[in-house]
Structure formats: structure tokens, C-alpha cells
Amino acid sequence: MRNATITGWGKALPPLVLTNTDLEKIVDTSDEWITTRTGIKERRISHVEATDLATVAGRHALAAAGLEPDALDLVVNATCTPESLIPASASYVQAKLGATNAGAMDLNANCSGFIYALVTASAMVSAGVVDRVLIIGVEKLSYVMDLTDRSTCVLFGDGAGAVVVEPTDEPVGLAASELGVDGTVADILCVPEFGTVGSPGVRDPRRAGIKMEGPEVFRRAVTKMGEASLHVIAEAGWRPEEVDLLIPHQANQRIIDATARRLKLDPARVFVNIHAYGNTSAATIPVALTEALEQGRVKPRAKIVFAAFGGGLTWAAAALTWGDRVTPIATSDAQVPEPDRTVWDVLAPNLEFYGNQERSG
Ligand code: UT7
């Protein structure tokens, strides 16, 4: 039977760091509040375009799989912060990588985007529609982070993670998946204007940043990530205690802990890196997976669960059996270019734009 499995992985985190202490200088917050309510200590801010991050992550994933870019049949860019809509930002990634034989598309399911893309790509590979797919979860959320709004700006960051999916005859890869959404409540986590809803040529700072009813999103995330994880574990024919590693979306340490409790998993079997990067939406899971592999926390034939929740309101979970190889075939020296500016220089246009809200009201 033809299955689809992950054969390569990689990440790209921009070097500029914005700490909780830095945020204390611009909004009425504290390191103590952010740490205890979210688990986040710092996040990365990108001085380059999202497709530059995506390309670096993609190069690492290709090297890990032992593939050249022209071997790809498809590039899927999971993102809700594309640098352009026409073209789809995946076109730039395809060009920067030199994936000359690939199709390319963006996929937007917000924070659940990586799992949506993995399920889509795995189905296409298993069906024989394509052979080799590069999936990238990439975000430049600093663009929509309203740095005057303490209830949201402390949560997000920039970054990219990538995987390569290829066919295999082994009984590995996706064992079960669930994709869900409740669009009736989509407005409780949204950017009110980032599309044709706005007036042409006008970007209103009051409607251009992320708005969120935090406690309600929190409640729904805890419920859905737990439920969806249990569903895919059952559908895969596993028992929760057999799960070797849960790699959850990194939105809030307390959501991760609640999901782990629902599965009765001890912390040693849950991967967490939210302290270092905050919430990077579609990038959290492929970055976390890459770091789990780097740290030797993925064993051959491991039973892994991915779970996510976010804008849409989407949720998704996947149960997959890892293959035999847990080390890269080769490595790439691709890296995000060194910044020639400080984090404050990079954020200056953001501070100026969102700082104009009162005046534009
Ligand atoms: O990936 C997409 C999915 N996103 C999520 O899953 C996020 C889900 N939501 C959350 O993670 C949490 O709801 C937040 C971290 C956003 C907020 O935590 P919370 O414990 O739900 O706090 P809250 O919104 O109920 O606010 C509690 C208090 C309020 O003050 P009062 O009214 O009690 O005086 C807020 O104004 O904390 C205040 N507050 C802050 N204080 C200091 C809100 N943000 C901050 C802040 N610093 N950054």
C-alpha cells in the first residue's frame, strides 16, 4: 500500500529577539504577567520577507530528505500572513528555491494551517497524484501585531518550519486526521481588514491588527485540541498512553498543559518551545517537530500526535507513525541573513502605524 511519510524537516527563525522586558517599554504589561499567563519569554521579529524565511526552512528540509529542489512536485506554503496575494506567496518560494518542476500554492487555515497542509499533501501523495511535496508553515505575524494592544501583541512572533512528504510502502505516515472549523464564531479571532473587505488603498490601523476575545478562544482551544487529539488517537487504533510525543500548536502553555492532561500524557511526552518563539501560527508545529528531532525526542516508528487550534475558528489533529530515519540525510548551510538593524528599527513602522489609532479615530 502506498503511504506518505515525512522524510525531511527544517526551520528558519529570524535572529532579532523581542523579549517580554522589551514589551514592558511599549505597553502596560510585565514579564511576570506574560510568563505566568502564556509561558512566553521572548519571540522573534523578522527583518526579511516571509518567503525568505520559508526558503531557508525549505532548504533545510530538502537537505534532510536528500533532495534537490527540482525533485519537488508541489510546494505548499501554509500561511495567514503572505507577503502578497497575487501572486500567491508560494510562487516566490518556488522561484527562490529553484523548484523548477513543482506546482505551488498557499494554504490558509490560520494556526491549523500546517496540519491542513500535511493532510492535503499526504492524501495527494498516497493517491499517486504527486510524489514529493514541500510543506512550509511560515508567518510574519509582526505585520499584524498591534503594538499598542497589550492583549494581543505579547502573544505572537515570526518564523518558519518545513517538511518534505514522500511516498513509502512501509506502514508509516498519517494514521488518522481530523480537520474542523466553526466559521460562525470566526470574528472572535480575526484581522478585521486584510482583504477585499477594506476600502481600496486605505489601511485603517484600528482594523489592521489582530483582534481576539482571548478567554473565549482559550476555552474553545482547550476543548477542541483535546477532543480532536482523542478522536485521531482512537481512529488510529491507539490508546492515549501509547502516544510517544504530542507536538501541539504553541499558543499558550496553559492550553498545551490542558491538552496533555486530557490525554493523560506526562510532560516528558509533550514538546514545548513556546517560551522561545511565542505563537507563530502555522509555523509552530513544523518548527517544534524540527527541534524535537534535533533533540533526539523522535524515535524510529514513534507514535506522534499533532494538534492545533486558531483563527477560523479552525482546529486540526493528526496521528502519525514516524518512519525509521530520525537524522537528516544531509545538511544545508542556508541561513537567514544577519540583520543590519535593531529590533526597534524593524518595528518602528509598526509602532508608528498602530500608534496613530486615536488620531485616525
Ligand atoms: O493561536 C491562535 C489561538 N490563540 C489562542 O489560543 C489564545 C487563547 N487565549 C489566551 O491564550 C489567553 O486568553 C490570553 C493569554 C490571550 C489572555 O489570558 P487570560 O488569562 O485569558 O487573561 P484575560 O484576557 O482574561 O485578562 C485578564 C486581565 C485583564 O485585566 P482585568 O480586567 O482583570 O483587570 C486584562 O486586561 O489581564 C489583563 N491583561 C494584561 N495584563 C498585563 C491582558 N493582557 C495583558 C498583558 N499584560 N499583556
Side-chain angles (χ1 to χ4, degrees):
M1 183 175 161
R2 185 171 153 121
N3 291 313
T5 190
I6 295 175
T7 59
W9 50 89
K11 63 176 183 178
L13 280 314
L16 291 174
V17 174
L18 184 70
T19 65
N20 291 349
T21 317
D22 290 332
L23 285 165
E24 288 175 359
K25 295 176 191 141
I26 51 174
V27 283
D28 180 15
T29 191
S30 65
D31 175 44
E32 201 264 335
W33 191 96
I34 303 170
T35 306
T36 54
R37 297 290 182 126
T38 72
I40 301 166
K41 295 298 286 184
E42 57 187 42
R43 67 287 294 143
R44 301 298 178 90
I45 301 296
S46 186
H47 65 295
V48 294
E49 294 298 343
T51 55
D52 295 317
L53 300 178
T55 303
V56 173
R59 286 204 191 285
H60 288 290
L62 283 166
L67 293 178
E68 295 298 327
D70 62 2
L72 290 171
D73 299 311
L74 184 64
V75 176
V76 183
N77 213 33
T79 185
C80 60
T81 46
E83 73 199 53
S84 71
L85 290 171
I86 304 175
S89 64
S91 296
Y92 291 131
V93 180
Q94 179 268 343
K96 288 177 184 179
L97 282 172
T100 47
N101 296 309
M105 63 176 175
D106 283 0
L107 184 156
N108 181 6
N110 301 108
C111 298
S112 308
F114 175 76
I115 302 178
Y116 268 68
L118 180 66
V119 171
T120 304
S122 297
M124 291 176 74
V125 170
S126 296
V129 177
V130 290
D131 284 333
R132 294 179 195 88
V133 184
L134 176 66
I135 303 170
I136 304 161
V138 55
E139 303 288 2
K140 192 168 170 177
L141 288 162
S142 54
Y143 182 74
V144 288
M145 266 162 63
D146 176 349
L147 287 172
T148 66
D149 179 1
R150 71 172 183 176
S151 71
T152 55
C153 76
V154 303
L155 304 172
F156 301 102
D158 302 335
V163 300
V164 171
V165 175
E166 293 188 78
T168 176
D169 294 330
E170 298 293 321
V172 298
L174 278 191
S177 62
E178 175 171 316
L179 306 180
V181 67
D182 183 354
T184 64
V185 281
D187 288 349
I188 69 173
L189 170 48
C190 69
V191 172
E193 280 183 12
F194 194 135
T196 56
V197 71
S199 310
V202 181
R203 208 168 156 243
D204 180 343
R206 291 165 302 176
R207 298 175 56 76
I210 297 176
K211 310 284 179 208
M212 178 165 64
E213 291 178 28
E216 184 58 22
V217 174
F218 184 100
R219 194 183 64 73
R220 289 168 185 266
V222 166
T223 305
K224 285 300 178 188
M225 279 173 61
E227 273 177 14
S229 298
L230 288 171
H231 291 164
V232 296
I233 290 166
E235 200 187 323
W238 305 345
R239 294 188 310 277
E241 60 270 27
E242 289 180 296
V243 173
D244 295 302
L245 192 61
L246 169 68
I247 303 185
H249 173 48
Q250 312 279 313
N252 188 315
Q253 178 73 53
R254 292 182 293 137
I255 296 174
I256 295 170
D257 292 344
T259 307
R261 275 198 301 276
R262 190 90 189 265
L263 273 56
K264 299 192 173 65
L265 287 181
D266 65 72
R269 288 193 283 160
V270 183
F271 192 87
V272 179
N273 62 5
I274 190 171
H275 52 281
Y277 309 128
N279 181 349
T280 57
S281 189
T284 61
I285 292 177
V287 170
L289 171 65
T290 299
E291 295 194 343
L293 282 147
E294 288 168 352
Q295 294 169 21
R297 292 185 59 183
V298 176
K299 306 294 180 206
R301 302 285 166 140
K303 290 182 169 61
I304 298 177
V305 171
F306 295 145
F309 185 90
L313 296 174
T314 57
W315 64 90
L320 66 127
T321 306
W322 195 258
D324 293 321
R325 186 168 55 78
V326 292
T327 52
I329 290 177
T331 55
S332 163
D333 58 7
Q335 49 182 308
V336 180
E338 276 305 310
D340 52 1
R341 291 163 287 164
T342 69
V343 72
W344 296 115
D345 294 335
V346 173
L347 290 174
N350 178 311
L351 281 161
E352 191 188 341
F353 174 69
Y354 289 107
N356 275 333
Q357 286 181 63
E358 282 73 31
R359 266 177 283 157
S360 60

